[in-house]
Amino acid sequence: MALLELSRVAAGYGAIQILHDVSLRVNEGEVVAVIGPNGAGKSTTFKVIMNLITHLGGEITFAGRPLVGQRPDRVLALGLGYVPQGRVVFSQMTVRENLEMGAYLERDRARIRASMDYVFALFPRLGERQRQLAGSMSGGEQQMLSMGRALMMRPRMLMLDEPSLGLSPRFVDEVFDKIVELARGGLTVMLVEQNAARALE
């Protein structure tokens, strides 16, 4: 059984339909790249999975459970992590506070500490800058923080929307290295990526 499956999904923004009959499967342990030209609906596909835009038809399931009609926080609780495009961070909050926001559904303090340790082991730079305001970090560091925040709930699958967008070549390499590391650790990954060659690699 696929971990994530879309069957003939239609979606859009209000009455404006963007997706028409989109079907895809992501199996456990896979790394799947969604590629295509600007405006093809790649980011829209991620948003309808997370129930952030209007669902107009078709079925979406994750681990056999239907996602259509679920609030975004319930989708996260099922084990689906999402890193939106554009390095979305809480700029006036510290690195640590941003990560804590990623675990806002978790009530067990020990599990939150364990997730924080996991993220700091994966991204040592974040551990060194726990008290730094997120808005004062470089673009690459903010992207790592966005990824770390999504990992705080220890998802079964991570969706990354354009993780290399606007980053320097050094940070592009580092972000892709981390994606590979996560995948080798057993995390299922789906990414939208403008850098098709790197994504396919």
Side-chain angles (χ1 to χ4, degrees), residues 27-62:
N27 296 317
E28 190 118 31
E30 277 191 312
V31 178
V32 173
V34 181
I35 58 175
N38 286 339
K42 303 181 301 296
S43 296
T44 303
T45 300
F46 277 20
K47 289 176 183 174
V48 74
I49 292 168
M50 296 302 299
N51 277 302
L52 296 172
I53 60 170
T54 306
H55 174 267
L56 298 171
E59 297 179 3
I60 306 171
T61 58
F62 180 73

Side-chain angles (χ1 to χ4, degrees), residues 52-156:
L52 296 172
I53 60 170
T54 306
H55 174 267
L56 298 171
E59 297 179 3
I60 306 171
T61 58
F62 180 73
R65 301 178 69 169
L67 295 187
V68 174
Q70 297 273 11
R71 296 193 322 260
D73 62 318
R74 297 310 307 152
V75 176
L76 291 172
L78 290 173
L80 190 52
Y82 174 52
V83 181
Q85 184 184 116
R87 302 185 297 277
V88 179
V89 297
F90 299 102
S91 60
Q92 297 303 311
M93 296 170 68
T94 66
V95 167
R96 188 175 192 88
E97 288 167 341
N98 268 267
L99 294 176
E100 288 171 345
M101 287 297 292
Y104 79 99
L105 295 175
E106 179 60 68
R107 296 290 173 255
D108 185 328
R109 300 305 299 176
R111 293 185 67 172
I112 293 173
R113 281 195 300 274
S115 292
M116 194 83 67
D117 291 343
Y118 167 74
V119 169
F120 289 154
L122 185 66
F123 300 108
R125 191 177 284 110
L126 298 182
E128 296 164 1
R129 303 183 181 195
Q130 295 180 47
R131 293 179 176 81
Q132 183 172 341
L133 291 180
S136 68
M137 302 175 83
S138 72
E141 291 165 344
Q142 289 184 14
Q143 183 62 35
M144 291 177 193
L145 180 56
S146 294
M147 291 173 66
R149 188 177 59 212
L151 292 168
M152 284 294 292
M153 287 293 291
R154 303 304 292 268
R156 292 179 65 181

Side-chain angles (χ1 to χ4, degrees), residues 18-19 34-44 85 161-162 165 192-196:
I18 305 295
L19 301 182
V34 181
I35 58 175
N38 286 339
K42 303 181 301 296
S43 296
T44 303
Q85 184 184 116
D161 192 354
E162 298 278 16
L165 185 66
V192 164
E193 179 51 58
Q194 60 174 347
N195 189 335

